[in-house]
Amino acid sequence: MSKPKNPWDQGNPDRLYILTTGRSSTDQDLKLDLVTLIVARSETDPGLQPEHAAIVRMCDYPLSVAEISAYLTLPVSTVTVLLTDLLTNDQVEARPPVPVAALPDVRLLEAVMHGLQNL
């Protein structure tokens, strides 16, 4: 039994070239990595290409670049170019991921949980 291919992995790079209008990288100095969170700033615009519109619709709540790439079944490099377009047009916003130091201490949460259970 053969492994199913992703829609973009069919040996034809034309689709990815068309999606990114031939750009393989961005001119901007935007730091988008796999864990950068993307959230929509507006509703979808009827003039957007389908992939741009899909990103704006799915980012009602923050999604990482890696999640967007997985949902669209597109390579991260292609999604990064699409996201740069949307960021330039202020249709989405990039947020850094939550730093580990900002997360609550697990031991403290466990202590509170055990204290509540003992009540």
Side-chain angles (χ1 to χ4, degrees), residues 63-117:
L63 288 175
S64 71
V65 173
E67 290 172 309
I68 295 168
S69 175
Y71 289 140
L72 292 177
T73 63
L74 290 171
V76 172
S77 58
T78 301
V79 170
T80 302
V81 172
L82 297 174
L83 287 171
T84 301
D85 295 342
L86 292 171
L87 286 164
T88 302
N89 295 330
D90 288 328
Q91 293 174 311
V92 297
E93 177 183 333
R95 297 179 182 172
V98 177
V100 175
L103 297 175
D105 182 21
V106 174
R107 291 177 294 179
L108 175 64
L109 292 175
E110 287 175 348
V112 170
M113 183 178 69
H114 290 301
L116 290 172
Q117 287 174 342

Side-chain angles (χ1 to χ4, degrees), residues 4 13 15-16 28 35-37 52 59 67 90 92-93 119:
R15 177 173 180 249
L16 299 178
Q28 313 252 340
V35 294
T36 300
L37 298 175
H52 284 118
C59 290
E67 290 172 309
D90 288 328
V92 297
E93 177 183 333
L119 289 177

Side-chain angles (χ1 to χ4, degrees), residues 18-37:
I18 291 168
L19 288 177
T20 61
T21 60
R23 296 169 291 152
S24 61
S25 63
T26 59
D27 303 343
Q28 313 252 340
D29 189 27
L30 299 172
K31 302 292 184 205
L32 295 177
D33 56 15
L34 293 175
V35 294
T36 300
L37 298 175

